Structure formats: C-alpha cells, structure tokens
Amino acid sequence: MSWVQATLLARGLCRAWGGSCGAALTGTSISQLPCQLPRGLHCSAAAYSSEQSLVPSPPEPRQRPTKALVPFEDLFGQAPSGERDKASFLQAVQKFGEHSVRKRGHVDFIYLALRKMREYGVERDLAVYNQLLNIFPKEVFRPRSIIQRIFVHYPRQQECGIAVLEQMENHGVMPNKETEFLLIEIFGRKSYPMLKLVRLKLWFPRFMNINPFPVPRDLPQDPVELAMFGLRHMEPDLSARVTIYQVPLPKDSTGAADPPQPHIVGKSVGMGAATSLTWPRPCQVPAGPRLGSLGLCAKSLAGHRACMSPHQESRVPISRLPWPATVQPGLGGVRRASWQNTEDPGVEEGPVFAMCMAGAHDQATLAKWIQGLQETNPTLAQIPLQTSSAGLEEPPLPEDHQEEDDNLQRQQQGQS
Amino acid sequence: MALVHKLLRGTYILRKFSKPASALYPFLGIRFAEYSSSLQKPLASPGKASSQREGDLQGDHQKEVALDITSPEEKPDVSFDKAIRDEAMYHFRHLKDEIVEGRPLHDVLLEQAKVVWQFRGKEDLDKWTVTSDKTIGGRSEVFLKMGKNNQSALLYGTLSCEAPQDGESTRSGYCAMISRIPRSAFERKMSYDWSQFNTLYLRVHGDGRPWMVNIKEDIDFFQRRNQMYSYFMFTRGGPYWQEVKIPFSKFFFSNRGRIRDVQHELPLDKISSIGFTLADKVDGPFFLEIDFIGVFTDPAHTEEFAYENSPELNPRLVK
C-alpha cells in the first residue's frame, strides 16, 4: 500500500514540476497505473503530453470533432464575405471576447492574431495593436506583493505582451498614450512590457528622420510616375528637368500590328552648358539594365537606364557605368545571366549629363531617347556617340532613326 | 595513389608558406591538427598567396609551386625545421620593420585625415571578409570583388528574407562585409587609434539601400564579443558617387543587435574592425561600391555624444 502511495506522490510531484521533471520521475511502474487520475491544477498540457509519449498506450476514442491544428484558427475564417481587412480582423478579435468570458487561451489567440496581421493588412495600424492588448484581462497580472514583484509575475503573459510590442517595433508603429495606459493596467508599471515600451518611446524619435533621401512608404504604382520619382530621387541637382519622352499605350489599344510602346522618362542635367563646350572626345552612352532599388522599393522600381557622359581623361570619377545589375522581368526587360556580363572596360567616369528610365531595354528605345535629347540640344547631333552594348537586347529592325541606329550597331560590332 | 599523395604534399608545402595565419601553429601544438587538415583544400592561387611576401622567400616558393604542378614525380623538399625557421625569420623581420620604421612625430600629431582602407588591388580585398545569412541557413548571397579599373571594391549579391526552416528562426535576411582584425608580427592583435579624428569618411556608390556601419572595439573579454557601435549610411542610388561623413559621436552602443540602455561614446583609441550590414527587409539584388574608407577631423563638429541616458531607464546613472 505504501508503495502505491509513494508512486502516487511521485506522480503528483512530477505533474507539479512540469514536463522536464516528469520525464525523469515517471517510471515503468507508474506507467502501468490508469491514466484517468484527475489532473493537477498547475499541470500543463506539455507535461501531460510528454508523459503520454513515454507510455505506449492505445489511442483513446475521440469524443470531440477534429479541431484545427492551431487553436482559434476558426475565428479568423468566419468572415461572411471572405474579405480580409481591418473590419473582419476586429470582428475576429471581438468574437474571441464573446467566445469565452474568462478569456481562456488569450495568449494563444494573441500570438495567432499577430501572425495573421500581415494577411489582413493591419500590421501598421496602431488601433489594432491596442485592441490586441485590450484582450488581456486587467489587473490580474499585476504583482501584489514584494515576492511577486521580485520574481517575474506571469512570465508567459508578459512575453506575449512583449511580442506585441516587438511586432510594433518591426513595423515602425509608435505606441501612444492608450498603449501605455493599457500596459500599466494589465501588467503594472514595473514590468517587462512597460520597459519595452519605454525603450520604444526613447529610440523611435531618434531614428525617425535620419534618412537624408527619404522614400515614401507607398510608392506610385504607375511605372511612369515611379520612374519620375526615381529620377528625382537620384538626382542631386535640383535644376534638372524631367521629360517624359514616350508614354506606354493603354493595353486595350495595343493591336497585333503595333509593337508595344515602352515608356521613356528622361532627365537632363545642364545640357545647355554642356553642349556649348566643344567636346574633343566622343560622348559615350553606356546602357545598362538597372534595378533602381530605392531603399524600401526594390521590387517595384525596375527599368532600364542609360546615361550619357563625355569620355574624359580626368581622374575625378563622378559616374561609374554601366551598372552591373539586373532588371526584373515584370516591367519588361531582360534578366541578366550574371553580373560579370555587364563589365565594360572601355567606359571611364565622367560627368553625367542625362539619364533615363525606360520600360524596355533595346536599341530602339535608346535611339528614341537620344532623338528626344537632340530636339532640345541640336549640338548633340554633331557629337559622335558611343554606346556600350553590354546590357542591350538584340536590336530590332532599324526603321526611322537610321543614322543613330547605324551608329549604334557599328559601335556594338566594334565592341563585341 | 602515390601521385595523389605527392600532389597533396606539394599542396602542403604551398599552404605552409602561403598562410601567414598559420605561422605560429607549430609553436602552439594544439592547432597542429587543423593545420595539417587543410591539406585537402584546393590550391590557393599562388600569385595571391605569394604576393604578400617579399624578398628571396618569394622567389623560392614560387619556384617550388611551379615544380610541383608540372612534375609531381620529383620529390619536393619537405622539411619541418626549415618551415619553422622560415616562419620565425619572417616574423622577426616584420618585428624589426615595426620597430625601425616610423613616422616623424609632427606628422603623427598634426594629422588631419587618414585613409584607413582603400581598394586598389586584389590584396586590399584580403583585408575583408563577407558573410550572409547562409551561415544560419538563409538564402542571401553576397560577393566581393574589385570594381572596374581596379579603383573600387564592389559588394554585390542578393538579399532574401526567407527564414531558414530550422524551427526556431523566424526572421532572416542580412549580408555583411567586415574588415579583418589587423595583425602584426607573431600574429599579435593590433588595433587602430583614431582618437585625433572625429568623423568617418566614406566614398561609396550605392543603389539606394540603407546600410548599417558597425564599428567594433578591440576587447579582450569573451563576454563582450557581440558588442558594437553602429550607425546608418543611406545611399541615394543612381550614377553618382556620394561622400558619406558620419561623426563618431552618432554611433550608438548595442549588444547582440539590441540597443543597450546605458549608452556611452565610441572609444576611439582601440578600434578593431569596421563592418557594413544590409538588412532592410527588401528582397532582391543589391550592390555597394566602396572607393575608400577614411577618417578625418571636422573642426566644426563639436558634439561629443548624441544620445543622453534616459532617467526612466537607468535612474541610477542620472541624478
């Protein structure tokens, strides 16, 4: 009898101590006991499952229907129209509050909601984060005695609160007074989530505006506007003019006979002053497919850029061309096989007089752009142009810009 | 089989001479196993390896390399004593150079600007190392090579934020370029003394991505190995080069990537290395061209440290 008592005691001990001790204490003699003993108050599910894994018992018949792998997953799938926006997200949060008055499993729910935020597009919304923090029961996790204050009181819940703040930090959401009030109400003033909040409030304003070349978070979707923004962003000279040489045709009007017309947006810098000089050397037009990855927007700003720079002997390097980069196929361009292909040893650095971004990346587009440049700068027609063919596609049939294309092709043959 | 063995022995000789870092291994003894385990590695490029050595030594083992590759049947001259003697001679010669060579005092005292790292040839790339999140199982790639005309270094690659599927990592996506710790004779650790300068000066050409500039202090404590001082460098993209000037007072203190509560300024007299990290959560290719990295004194900059300690976070410091 005493043996049975001892094993029962050991069993209770191992439950109280959780999974790690339970694995050590559970012997074979214990495993033969029936598993229908009442579970202890502080027995966690992890400890129970670890005991189960040691015991090869037959699977119990399921009484309840099969649940989702992640608890509360079904709350997020219940939107009537199936749309995923802020309203349906807040509806799911509200439904969790109605689901159980005692807020059972709220830590699991908050972790799940944090993972779901990006799907619903609310990861930058401060009000939603405040709603998530509002799920926590108030006044329960605040330490009430000196002992509780010394040791971390309700550590899992505090970790969950920190996770919410961490996600706010990763998306650059600055907490406000309401967040602070909620955290004080939930965890108390001397708690780890409050410490995190103080750090956020201290460091966010310091790094908020340090970028001297700021990029807006939402970039224009139109490729022409995007190219204009990119050119303005790259150009330090404010007096430079942006010219749209060609706009893409709308999609419905593109017939089989019309070739697709790529957009060309160019920017010229002080071309008047430059063309008044007599250039002793040919002007170079190196072209390179270029992914203008502007900070946050590498995926959206693709296009071809070409720059003109006079061939100079000076050692002052101002531009370095062509750019070894790739162009994304989305906006019409070629994908380079490797970086090494764009190496062009003949090009040296010189001042940049014009650059452009285009949707396509071929000789015709380049010729069109140069023709547009010649309209404003007639001197350009007398200057021989060298192009580097490193990044260009196979030239289409030259039709109208005969001389430029011939020039380009000659240069290309000379270089390749 | 014997031929392979000879080849390996030939490689061994090359490695022995070409790896300055392994110079003290015979003395240490413990690392000896690692020393000889590098046999199976492919041949290091002989030109690169031997270009760092000077004098008669270079001629000798250049000849040896050529001998080994052309006719492996010929017995190479393997002698531990000779190798050890040569390494010792090499280090003593360096020690003598360090002691004898120097600059006049007024040069050192009145120095206003200094180029610390520049990229003019292959041997400048050996002072740097690149790393990416491939080391933790990610998918980013980063490469470093000399740019066009041997006038700059080109750091390029692809950033990928896909987290490794190891069950514990949730975030990923970084690429970095770190300078090696300078070593003097007998592989002693050296550090840079920039205490008379107050601004970091970089000439770069980027593609518009923000980079983080990390400076590491030369420390002897193992527990402080993850501490560094960082600030950000913003590139503007386009064909233009830009000159980035970052005052040292702007650098903030962090440990394991987390900003510490107690901030102090960067100790400029013991700088161990500098690094550039890209982790801006945007997937795609990137590049950064660096011409040189230097330091200079900006007399107009009088700020000592940009970050005050918060009385809310560490009330004991602020009274």
Side-chain angles (χ1 to χ4, degrees):
Chain A
M1 196 57 217
S2 66
W3 175 80
V4 174
Q5 275 177 356
T7 50
L8 279 178
L9 187 64
R11 191 168 176 78
L13 257 181
C14 77
R15 280 191 174 142
W17 279 85
S20 56
C21 299
L25 282 177
T26 318
T28 47
S29 60
I30 300 173
S31 72
Q32 286 153 6
L33 283 176
C35 284
Q36 272 75 35
L37 285 172
R39 292 173 65 181
L41 257 186
H42 290 278
C43 173
S44 67
Y48 196 61
S49 64
S50 74
E51 277 180 37
Q52 284 273 324
S53 67
L54 283 179
V55 185
S57 60
E60 295 175 7
R62 282 195 187 129
Q63 290 105 19
R64 285 177 295 181
T66 326
K67 284 175 67 179
L69 281 179
V70 183
F72 312 113
E73 180 91 51
D74 46 347
L75 284 180
F76 282 97
Q78 282 178 359
S81 54
E83 61 191 13
R84 312 204 146 190
D85 55 349
K86 187 181 172 183
S88 57
F89 190 86
L90 288 180
Q91 203 181 353
V93 173
Q94 195 189 354
K95 216 172 278 172
F96 173 76
E98 296 163 359
H99 171 70
S100 67
V101 186
R102 292 171 197 85
K103 307 273 183 71
R104 188 183 172 115
H106 62 275
V107 171
D108 288 338
F109 177 75
I110 289 173
Y111 277 126
L112 175 70
L114 285 180
R115 286 199 299 273
K116 291 270 176 187
M117 281 182 104
R118 194 183 274 274
E119 276 178 39
Y120 283 77
V122 289
E123 74 269 17
R124 297 189 203 283
D125 202 327
L126 177 61
V128 176
Y129 285 105
N130 285 342
Q131 282 294 320
L132 278 188
L133 284 178
N134 206 4
I135 295 176
F136 279 110
K138 311 290 181 301
E139 304 282 339
V140 181
F141 305 140
R142 291 177 72 156
R144 288 173 200 287
S145 67
I146 182 75
I147 302 291
Q148 288 175 351
R149 197 162 288 149
I150 289 172
F151 297 102
V152 184
H153 199 43
Y154 282 99
R156 298 290 166 263
Q157 282 79 3
Q158 290 208 26
E159 276 171 19
C160 183
I162 292 175
V164 175
L165 289 169
E166 175 100 19
Q167 187 154 338
M168 287 171 74
E169 182 190 5
N170 287 336
H171 290 108
V173 181
M174 178 86 179
N176 63 355
K177 281 278 175 197
E178 192 190 344
T179 320
E180 188 176 355
F181 179 73
L182 278 169
L183 283 177
I184 290 175
E185 216 179 15
I186 297 163
F187 297 110
R189 202 171 275 282
K190 294 271 179 194
S191 61
Y192 285 98
M194 265 312 276
L195 190 61
K196 179 86 187 169
L197 181 93
V198 170
R199 285 172 179 156
L200 281 191
K201 277 175 26 188
L202 180 70
W203 287 101
F204 259 168
R206 287 177 171 178
F207 295 142
M208 202 178 280
N209 294 317
I210 53 169
N211 191 349
F213 319 112
V215 177
R217 182 166 283 161
D218 300 317
L219 286 159
Q221 292 300 314
D222 182 30
V224 177
E225 281 181 30
L226 195 62
M228 283 175 71
F229 169 76
L231 287 172
R232 284 211 185 94
H233 186 271
M234 288 170 197
E235 178 57 57
D237 187 1
L238 293 179
S239 64
R241 280 195 323 270
V242 177
T243 317
I244 302 176
Y245 292 100
Q246 184 170 298
V247 289
L249 289 174
K251 275 183 185 173
D252 48 351
S253 73
T254 308
D258 296 338
Q261 193 179 10
H263 67 276
I264 304 174
V265 181
K267 184 161 194 171
S268 52
V269 189
M271 280 295 282
T275 44
S276 64
L277 303 172
T278 52
W279 288 347
R281 285 175 176 274
C283 191
Q284 293 199 339
V285 190
R290 166 88 169 93
L291 178 81
S293 56
L294 280 177
L296 297 170
C297 53
K299 53 186 174 298
S300 50
L301 204 80
H304 145 168
R305 280 236 325 268
C307 277
M308 290 182 52
S309 57
H311 189 89
Q312 283 195 343
E313 286 290 333
S314 70
R315 301 296 302 166
V316 185
I318 293 180
S319 73
R320 191 156 293 215
L321 295 166
W323 302 283
T326 61
V327 73
Q328 280 196 339
L331 282 178
V334 283
R335 179 182 282 280
R336 306 289 313 165
S338 72
W339 289 71
Q340 279 73 24
N341 286 355
T342 49
E343 281 296 300
D344 189 5
V347 181
E348 283 194 13
E349 293 177 348
V352 178
F353 290 110
M355 54 184 172
C356 89
M357 279 189 175
H361 186 235
D362 46 19
Q363 297 273 2
T365 318
L366 182 63
K368 178 95 180 163
W369 174 54
I370 290 171
Q371 194 199 19
L373 279 180
Q374 284 172 355
E375 286 173 7
T376 48
N377 301 280
T379 337
L380 201 62
Q382 277 93 49
I383 300 169
L385 294 176
Q386 283 183 0
T387 65
S388 72
S389 61
L392 289 182
E393 274 178 348
E394 285 299 312
L397 289 178
E399 290 169 4
D400 40 359
H401 317 298
Q402 200 65 42
E403 50 174 336
E404 281 110 5
D405 277 345
D406 285 345
N407 192 9
L408 296 177
Q409 280 181 344
R410 196 173 59 241
Q411 292 294 342
Q412 190 181 14
Q413 284 160 5
Q415 289 198 1
S416 57
Chain B
M1 194 61 217
L3 193 130
V4 170
H5 181 64
K6 292 270 174 145
L7 254 178
L8 288 182
R9 284 167 80 94
T11 320
Y12 177 43
I13 291 180
L14 179 73
R15 299 284 316 174
K16 198 165 57 183
F17 279 96
S18 69
K19 199 173 166 191
S22 65
L24 274 186
Y25 287 177
F27 300 137
L28 291 176
I30 304 167
R31 289 191 177 180
F32 191 70
E34 187 205 340
Y35 180 38
S36 46
S37 72
S38 63
L39 290 183
Q40 276 76 22
K41 287 183 187 171
L43 274 172
S45 70
K48 186 193 104 186
S50 56
S51 62
Q52 295 167 349
R53 303 302 179 89
E54 308 122 355
D56 48 356
L57 213 78
Q58 179 180 6
D60 279 352
H61 72 259
Q62 279 277 26
K63 244 178 277 169
E64 270 181 11
V65 170
L67 219 70
D68 282 336
I69 290 171
T70 49
S71 60
E73 282 85 10
E74 199 159 326
K75 185 171 173 60
D77 173 22
V78 180
S79 159
F80 271 111
D81 293 343
K82 183 172 180 301
I84 292 170
R85 210 182 311 125
D86 286 345
E87 288 290 342
M89 286 295 290
Y90 167 74
H91 284 291
F92 274 116
R93 200 175 302 124
H94 263 235
L95 189 64
K96 193 195 82 180
D97 290 347
E98 278 171 26
I99 294 170
V100 172
E101 281 182 10
R103 288 185 303 162
L105 187 63
H106 58 269
D107 263 19
V108 178
L109 288 182
L110 299 179
E111 201 171 22
Q112 295 288 311
K114 187 164 73 172
V115 172
V116 188
W117 290 278
Q118 60 177 349
F119 298 95
R120 295 291 178 269
K122 285 274 182 207
E123 63 273 8
D124 291 327
L125 293 186
D126 294 338
K127 297 173 189 167
W128 294 84
T129 169
V130 291
T131 176
S132 74
D133 60 4
K134 262 192 177 170
T135 52
I136 63 165
R139 304 229 166 156
S140 304
E141 283 182 319
V142 62
F143 308 99
L144 179 68
K145 68 169 185 182
M146 285 308 289
K148 224 155 23 71
N149 304 333
N150 273 352
Q151 294 293 311
S152 67
L154 179 62
L155 180 70
Y156 63 99
T158 316
L159 191 73
S160 163
C161 290
E162 192 181 328
Q165 306 278 335
D166 56 356
E168 51 180 338
S169 307
T170 54
R171 288 185 293 170
S172 175
Y174 65 86
C175 292
M177 167 180 173
I178 310 155
S179 75
R180 289 186 196 276
I181 300 172
R183 302 270 174 182
S184 68
F186 296 107
E187 299 295 317
R188 286 172 300 152
K189 194 170 63 173
M190 300 285 281
S191 62
Y192 297 100
D193 184 5
W194 296 343
S195 48
Q196 49 183 331
F197 310 105
N198 66 359
T199 309
L200 186 71
Y201 190 104
L202 305 134
R203 189 161 181 281
V204 296
H205 172 206
D207 60 349
R209 291 194 183 221
W211 289 76
M212 195 172 196
V213 183
N214 307 309
I215 294 183
K216 271 197 152 183
E217 186 190 347
D218 182 18
I219 41 173
D220 296 326
F221 294 111
F222 181 72
Q223 290 85 356
R224 296 177 58 194
R225 70 193 182 282
N226 289 315
Q227 298 181 351
M228 56 169 75
Y229 301 83
S230 322
Y231 199 67
F232 305 100
M233 175 177 79
F234 295 96
T235 57
R236 76 177 305 154
Y240 299 99
W241 281 79
Q242 62 186 123
E243 285 164 6
V244 183
K245 295 166 191 160
I246 309 174
F248 287 127
S249 63
K250 297 273 186 198
F251 281 78
F252 58 87
F253 179 50
S254 67
N255 183 19
R256 299 190 74 104
R258 299 269 177 191
I259 304 178
R260 297 306 305 254
D261 288 342
V262 182
Q263 291 287 322
H264 59 265
E265 54 197 287
L266 170 65
L268 281 172
D269 52 345
K270 279 178 87 69
I271 300 292
S272 160
S273 67
I274 193 172
F276 302 95
T277 306
L278 176 76
D280 62 349
K281 301 180 191 167
V282 178
D283 292 353
F286 65 88
F287 79 87
L288 178 75
E289 262 186 293
I290 306 175
D291 190 355
F292 64 82
I293 301 161
V295 285
F296 79 108
T297 313
D298 185 7
H301 186 82
T302 53
E303 184 183 59
E304 285 184 359
F305 192 50
Y307 312 103
E308 75 278 11
N309 281 312
S310 157
E312 213 171 348
L313 281 177
N314 28 36
R316 285 186 202 168
L317 279 183
V318 186
K319 278 188 178 169

PDB file of all heavy atoms in Angstrom, chain B residues 262-275:
ATOM      1  N   VAL B 262      22.233  51.688 -21.347  1.00  0.00           N
ATOM      2  CA  VAL B 262      23.299  52.581 -20.932  1.00  0.00           C
ATOM      3  C   VAL B 262      24.181  52.856 -22.142  1.00  0.00           C
ATOM      4  O   VAL B 262      24.870  51.967 -22.637  1.00  0.00           O
ATOM      5  CB  VAL B 262      24.122  51.949 -19.794  1.00  0.00           C
ATOM      6  CG1 VAL B 262      25.190  52.906 -19.353  1.00  0.00           C
ATOM      7  CG2 VAL B 262      23.227  51.583 -18.648  1.00  0.00           C
ATOM      8  N   GLN B 263      24.131  54.059 -22.620  1.00  0.00           N
ATOM      9  CA  GLN B 263      24.885  54.411 -23.823  1.00  0.00           C
ATOM     10  C   GLN B 263      26.167  55.131 -23.447  1.00  0.00           C
ATOM     11  O   GLN B 263      26.190  55.925 -22.507  1.00  0.00           O
ATOM     12  CB  GLN B 263      24.035  55.341 -24.694  1.00  0.00           C
ATOM     13  CG  GLN B 263      22.856  54.656 -25.310  1.00  0.00           C
ATOM     14  CD  GLN B 263      23.259  53.730 -26.430  1.00  0.00           C
ATOM     15  OE1 GLN B 263      24.151  54.031 -27.201  1.00  0.00           O
ATOM     16  NE2 GLN B 263      22.614  52.583 -26.502  1.00  0.00           N
ATOM     17  N   HIS B 264      27.204  54.833 -24.160  1.00  0.00           N
ATOM     18  CA  HIS B 264      28.433  55.608 -23.995  1.00  0.00           C
ATOM     19  C   HIS B 264      29.079  55.761 -25.360  1.00  0.00           C
ATOM     20  O   HIS B 264      28.784  55.031 -26.294  1.00  0.00           O
ATOM     21  CB  HIS B 264      29.381  54.948 -23.007  1.00  0.00           C
ATOM     22  CG  HIS B 264      29.784  53.566 -23.395  1.00  0.00           C
ATOM     23  ND1 HIS B 264      29.133  52.461 -22.929  1.00  0.00           N
ATOM     24  CD2 HIS B 264      30.741  53.122 -24.214  1.00  0.00           C
ATOM     25  CE1 HIS B 264      29.689  51.383 -23.451  1.00  0.00           C
ATOM     26  NE2 HIS B 264      30.666  51.749 -24.238  1.00  0.00           N
ATOM     27  N   GLU B 265      29.977  56.716 -25.426  1.00  0.00           N
ATOM     28  CA  GLU B 265      30.534  57.015 -26.740  1.00  0.00           C
ATOM     29  C   GLU B 265      31.572  55.983 -27.142  1.00  0.00           C
ATOM     30  O   GLU B 265      32.119  55.260 -26.315  1.00  0.00           O
ATOM     31  CB  GLU B 265      31.117  58.415 -26.757  1.00  0.00           C
ATOM     32  CG  GLU B 265      32.116  58.660 -25.673  1.00  0.00           C
ATOM     33  CD  GLU B 265      32.335  60.141 -25.481  1.00  0.00           C
ATOM     34  OE1 GLU B 265      32.977  60.706 -26.348  1.00  0.00           O
ATOM     35  OE2 GLU B 265      31.861  60.705 -24.489  1.00  0.00           O
ATOM     36  N   LEU B 266      31.804  55.975 -28.431  1.00  0.00           N
ATOM     37  CA  LEU B 266      32.723  55.006 -29.015  1.00  0.00           C
ATOM     38  C   LEU B 266      34.153  55.305 -28.570  1.00  0.00           C
ATOM     39  O   LEU B 266      34.639  56.414 -28.763  1.00  0.00           O
ATOM     40  CB  LEU B 266      32.595  55.128 -30.526  1.00  0.00           C
ATOM     41  CG  LEU B 266      33.558  54.447 -31.461  1.00  0.00           C
ATOM     42  CD1 LEU B 266      33.420  52.967 -31.329  1.00  0.00           C
ATOM     43  CD2 LEU B 266      33.243  54.867 -32.866  1.00  0.00           C
ATOM     44  N   PRO B 267      34.825  54.355 -27.955  1.00  0.00           N
ATOM     45  CA  PRO B 267      36.222  54.591 -27.578  1.00  0.00           C
ATOM     46  C   PRO B 267      37.115  54.546 -28.811  1.00  0.00           C
ATOM     47  O   PRO B 267      37.329  53.484 -29.395  1.00  0.00           O
ATOM     48  CB  PRO B 267      36.521  53.461 -26.607  1.00  0.00           C
ATOM     49  CG  PRO B 267      35.530  52.433 -26.884  1.00  0.00           C
ATOM     50  CD  PRO B 267      34.348  53.065 -27.501  1.00  0.00           C
ATOM     51  N   LEU B 268      37.601  55.685 -29.205  1.00  0.00           N
ATOM     52  CA  LEU B 268      38.266  55.779 -30.500  1.00  0.00           C
ATOM     53  C   LEU B 268      39.699  55.278 -30.489  1.00  0.00           C
ATOM     54  O   LEU B 268      40.301  55.143 -31.552  1.00  0.00           O
ATOM     55  CB  LEU B 268      38.255  57.238 -30.966  1.00  0.00           C
ATOM     56  CG  LEU B 268      36.921  57.675 -31.547  1.00  0.00           C
ATOM     57  CD1 LEU B 268      36.937  59.141 -31.793  1.00  0.00           C
ATOM     58  CD2 LEU B 268      36.659  56.937 -32.826  1.00  0.00           C
ATOM     59  N   ASP B 269      40.267  55.037 -29.333  1.00  0.00           N
ATOM     60  CA  ASP B 269      41.682  54.683 -29.334  1.00  0.00           C
ATOM     61  C   ASP B 269      41.920  53.204 -29.534  1.00  0.00           C
ATOM     62  O   ASP B 269      43.064  52.795 -29.749  1.00  0.00           O
ATOM     63  CB  ASP B 269      42.339  55.158 -28.038  1.00  0.00           C
ATOM     64  CG  ASP B 269      41.582  54.675 -26.834  1.00  0.00           C
ATOM     65  OD1 ASP B 269      40.442  54.234 -27.018  1.00  0.00           O
ATOM     66  OD2 ASP B 269      42.107  54.737 -25.720  1.00  0.00           O
ATOM     67  N   LYS B 270      40.877  52.402 -29.463  1.00  0.00           N
ATOM     68  CA  LYS B 270      41.070  50.972 -29.703  1.00  0.00           C
ATOM     69  C   LYS B 270      39.964  50.479 -30.613  1.00  0.00           C
ATOM     70  O   LYS B 270      38.942  49.959 -30.172  1.00  0.00           O
ATOM     71  CB  LYS B 270      41.054  50.208 -28.378  1.00  0.00           C
ATOM     72  CG  LYS B 270      42.364  50.252 -27.642  1.00  0.00           C
ATOM     73  CD  LYS B 270      42.254  49.530 -26.327  1.00  0.00           C
ATOM     74  CE  LYS B 270      42.533  48.065 -26.467  1.00  0.00           C
ATOM     75  NZ  LYS B 270      43.935  47.786 -26.768  1.00  0.00           N
ATOM     76  N   ILE B 271      40.162  50.676 -31.906  1.00  0.00           N
ATOM     77  CA  ILE B 271      39.173  50.228 -32.872  1.00  0.00           C
ATOM     78  C   ILE B 271      39.701  48.952 -33.512  1.00  0.00           C
ATOM     79  O   ILE B 271      40.829  48.896 -33.993  1.00  0.00           O
ATOM     80  CB  ILE B 271      38.957  51.286 -33.958  1.00  0.00           C
ATOM     81  CG1 ILE B 271      38.462  52.583 -33.355  1.00  0.00           C
ATOM     82  CG2 ILE B 271      37.972  50.780 -34.980  1.00  0.00           C
ATOM     83  CD1 ILE B 271      37.105  52.524 -32.783  1.00  0.00           C
ATOM     84  N   SER B 272      38.873  47.956 -33.502  1.00  0.00           N
ATOM     85  CA  SER B 272      39.330  46.675 -34.028  1.00  0.00           C
ATOM     86  C   SER B 272      38.920  46.477 -35.483  1.00  0.00           C
ATOM     87  O   SER B 272      39.739  46.104 -36.312  1.00  0.00           O
ATOM     88  CB  SER B 272      38.770  45.568 -33.153  1.00  0.00           C
ATOM     89  OG  SER B 272      38.779  44.372 -33.832  1.00  0.00           O
ATOM     90  N   SER B 273      37.654  46.709 -35.799  1.00  0.00           N
ATOM     91  CA  SER B 273      37.232  46.462 -37.175  1.00  0.00           C
ATOM     92  C   SER B 273      36.008  47.297 -37.491  1.00  0.00           C
ATOM     93  O   SER B 273      35.360  47.847 -36.603  1.00  0.00           O
ATOM     94  CB  SER B 273      36.919  44.980 -37.394  1.00  0.00           C
ATOM     95  OG  SER B 273      35.785  44.617 -36.666  1.00  0.00           O
ATOM     96  N   ILE B 274      35.714  47.348 -38.774  1.00  0.00           N
ATOM     97  CA  ILE B 274      34.525  48.075 -39.239  1.00  0.00           C
ATOM     98  C   ILE B 274      33.751  47.121 -40.136  1.00  0.00           C
ATOM     99  O   ILE B 274      34.316  46.225 -40.757  1.00  0.00           O
ATOM    100  CB  ILE B 274      34.926  49.363 -39.979  1.00  0.00           C
ATOM    101  CG1 ILE B 274      33.734  50.280 -40.175  1.00  0.00           C
ATOM    102  CG2 ILE B 274      35.563  49.064 -41.314  1.00  0.00           C
ATOM    103  CD1 ILE B 274      34.102  51.628 -40.709  1.00  0.00           C
ATOM    104  N   GLY B 275      32.458  47.295 -40.165  1.00  0.00           N
ATOM    105  CA  GLY B 275      31.640  46.399 -40.980  1.00  0.00           C
ATOM    106  C   GLY B 275      30.442  47.123 -41.552  1.00  0.00           C
ATOM    107  O   GLY B 275      30.029  48.158 -41.040  1.00  0.00           O
TER     108      GLY B 275
END
